[in-house]
Amino acid sequence: MKPDMLKINAFESIVEQYATEAAFLWLLRKQSEKSTLYDQQDLSELEQRITGNLEGLIESGEMGWHICLRQLEFEEAGETFVAAMLALHLNDAQKIKTVCEIALENPQMLPGLESALGWINETSSKFWIDRFLNVTDLRYQDLGLSACSIKRRDPVNILTRILQSHETTKNPQLYAKALKLVGELKRFDLVPALNQGMDSEDEEVKFWASWSAILMGNLAVINNIKPFVFKQNAFLEQALELAFNILPNDQARIWISEMSKESANLRSAIKASSILGDPQVVPWLIQQMKNVESSRLAGLSFSLLTGIDLEQNKLDKDPDIVFKDNSDTDIEDDAENEDSDLPWPDPIKIQYFWKQQEAKFKKGNRYFAGQPITIEWLKSVLVNGNQFQRSCVALKLAMLESNSILLNTATPTVSI
């Protein structure tokens, strides 16, 4: 092989590594957006590494683009993000259309495309979001609304127009996304659109219309959310978080008691307990730590409420001992468990420790991370907390401050 060909092949290999590494790091960041193991600084460091790889890809010119096209064949969100970022940075309409047309036909790829519109610099982002929102193709309108949600950008009259369109009401996915954006942005002028959406027969539309209405202060429609709290569904997490932030304590405890009677709803009851934040639930949470299937989630809920770090206070168990004592639990299968990043609590130690701490907490009050819930405390956690805490706090603040939009704690801090 000629020396020049060797150089080309070596350079192509380097550029391909830029694309692969950027896609992998994007996926890692995506998984970390609501993680207890990452904070703002950790996400920022990941973003800097992603940006470095993207810059190397950009400098490679057409070679980089052809590599991105090749990697789109994997049909993965990370590779879609990288290709979209390159196309958007080059401001090449044909390249952007190519990525969009591929991703819009594959739901698995779509999050990467949406994410790129949230990462790209403000000028390019605004141009392409406006362009997507103003075309007649509803798929592109949907994409534009997703980007607005990521950036919490208000499309003003365009959002009004979309909600008033008969074509929108015939497209439940687009309709629901527009109604969700109304709540995120606190568009009080569009409350009539929410009222109309709550009458919809489509479950997704009705949920997001109700969610936005409650977020904006209409607590009277809480019963619209209840069916989504008591069954496994696509909106369960959002329903739990919203309901148990606004339900009166007595009513919330009744709901939690009802959920805890059904094994299928036990995890929901545990999550609801920490969202409620009433220390009266702590003894019950400690009991749930004795069940291997709910143990780590109960430990997380305990920590979210009390602010007590299990590992720092040596209130956790060695995972090897847990797996040895529970032969039915496979350590390899556990890697796929949604609780796999959480420590294993030691309920005996925690029971004793809680007796020493219990007097600091008043039953009937609400706590988050060990302190009574106040705007000042929540804003402190928003700055200093981990990503899971920050995502919890964002909703609490949006509900306490009527005119504040719902902060997106996953929005990237860098752009190119």
Side-chain angles (χ1 to χ4, degrees), residues 363-383:
K363 292 179 181 179
N365 286 0
R366 295 192 176 202
Y367 295 81
F368 184 81
Q371 296 294 326
I373 293 175
T374 64
I375 291 175
E376 292 72 25
W377 172 241
L378 295 178
K379 287 183 176 179
S380 173
V381 176
L382 195 60
V383 174

Side-chain angles (χ1 to χ4, degrees), residues 281-299:
V281 304
V282 169
W284 179 78
L285 285 175
I286 295 174
Q287 285 297 314
Q288 306 317 306
M289 295 176 198
K290 298 175 182 178
N291 180 348
V292 68
E293 294 181 359
S294 60
S295 181
R296 285 175 288 184
L297 180 62

Side-chain angles (χ1 to χ4, degrees), residues 145-159:
L145 289 179
S146 293
C148 286
S149 179
I150 292 170
K151 300 183 75 67
R152 295 299 194 259
R153 178 168 174 261
D154 190 347
V156 197
N157 294 333
I158 298 176
L159 181 57

Side-chain angles (χ1 to χ4, degrees), residues 94-377:
Q94 186 54 51
K95 288 180 171 61
I96 293 168
K97 183 178 180 180
T98 297
V99 179
C100 288
E101 287 300 318
I102 294 172
L104 287 169
E105 293 301 316
N106 190 327
Q108 188 170 322
M109 301 171 74
L110 196 53
L113 175 58
E114 295 170 344
S115 178
L117 287 166
W119 275 66
I120 200 68
N121 68 70
E122 194 61 33
T123 301
S124 295
S125 179
K126 183 179 185 304
F127 174 82
W128 287 106
I129 289 174
D130 287 345
R131 187 165 178 177
F132 292 157
L133 290 174
N134 282 294
V135 298
T136 55
D137 190 328
L138 299 187
R139 299 176 307 156
Y140 282 88
Q141 289 185 26
D142 190 292
L143 179 58
L145 289 179
S146 293
C148 286
S149 179
I150 292 170
K151 300 183 75 67
R152 295 299 194 259
R153 178 168 174 261
D154 190 347
V156 197
N157 294 333
I158 298 176
L159 181 57
T160 305
R161 188 200 71 212
I162 289 174
L163 282 167
Q164 291 174 345
S165 168
H166 291 300
E167 291 300 313
T168 298
T169 56
K170 291 187 289 186
N171 185 309
Q173 179 176 302
L174 178 65
Y175 192 15
K177 193 166 290 187
L179 292 168
K180 179 172 180 277
L181 188 60
V182 170
E184 291 172 338
L185 299 174
K186 299 283 187 75
R187 283 285 301 272
F188 290 98
D189 60 306
L190 292 175
V191 165
L194 298 181
N195 294 335
Q196 181 179 344
M198 284 187 280
D199 290 332
S200 173
E201 294 182 0
D202 183 85
E203 188 174 74
E204 184 177 11
V205 171
K206 185 170 185 175
F207 174 80
W208 287 115
S210 302
W211 181 89
S212 288
I214 294 170
L215 187 61
M216 293 165 64
N218 185 359
L219 308 187
V221 299
I222 184 59
N223 283 331
N224 286 4
I225 296 294
K226 188 173 183 179
F228 298 96
V229 168
F230 282 84
K231 66 179 181 180
Q232 299 300 310
N233 64 93
F235 317 108
L236 177 59
E237 297 295 326
Q238 294 92 340
L240 287 171
E241 192 173 13
L242 189 71
F244 290 93
N245 267 305
I246 60 100
L247 281 170
N249 283 25
D250 290 345
Q251 189 176 0
R253 284 195 291 270
I254 291 172
W255 283 27
I256 291 172
S257 178
E258 287 180 32
M259 283 190 290
S260 65
K261 294 174 183 176
E262 298 288 339
S263 59
N265 291 330
L266 179 60
R267 289 182 63 85
S268 294
I270 293 171
K271 292 176 182 179
S273 297
S274 65
I275 299 168
L276 175 62
D278 186 342
Q280 187 167 322
V281 304
V282 169
W284 179 78
L285 285 175
I286 295 174
Q287 285 297 314
Q288 306 317 306
M289 295 176 198
K290 298 175 182 178
N291 180 348
V292 68
E293 294 181 359
S294 60
S295 181
R296 285 175 288 184
L297 180 62
L300 172 62
S301 292
F302 173 81
S303 295
L304 285 173
L305 194 159
T306 64
I308 296 169
D309 187 295
L310 301 184
E311 292 175 308
Q312 286 184 4
N313 289 281
K314 298 182 179 180
L315 300 174
D316 58 325
K317 286 183 177 180
D318 184 331
D320 291 336
I321 295 175
V322 175
F323 289 117
K324 183 179 179 181
D325 292 342
N326 296 273
S327 56
D328 292 339
T329 304
D330 191 307
I331 192 168
E332 293 183 3
D333 292 342
D334 188 67
E336 303 298 321
N337 191 309
E338 64 178 289
D339 300 335
S340 60
D341 289 338
L342 302 175
W344 288 94
D346 187 323
I348 296 175
K349 291 180 181 177
I350 292 172
Q351 180 89 46
Y352 177 75
F353 190 84
W354 175 244
K355 286 181 180 179
Q356 297 175 310
Q357 304 294 320
E358 188 174 5
K360 299 177 183 178
F361 296 83
K362 184 178 179 180
K363 292 179 181 179
N365 286 0
R366 295 192 176 202
Y367 295 81
F368 184 81
Q371 296 294 326
I373 293 175
T374 64
I375 291 175
E376 292 72 25
W377 172 241

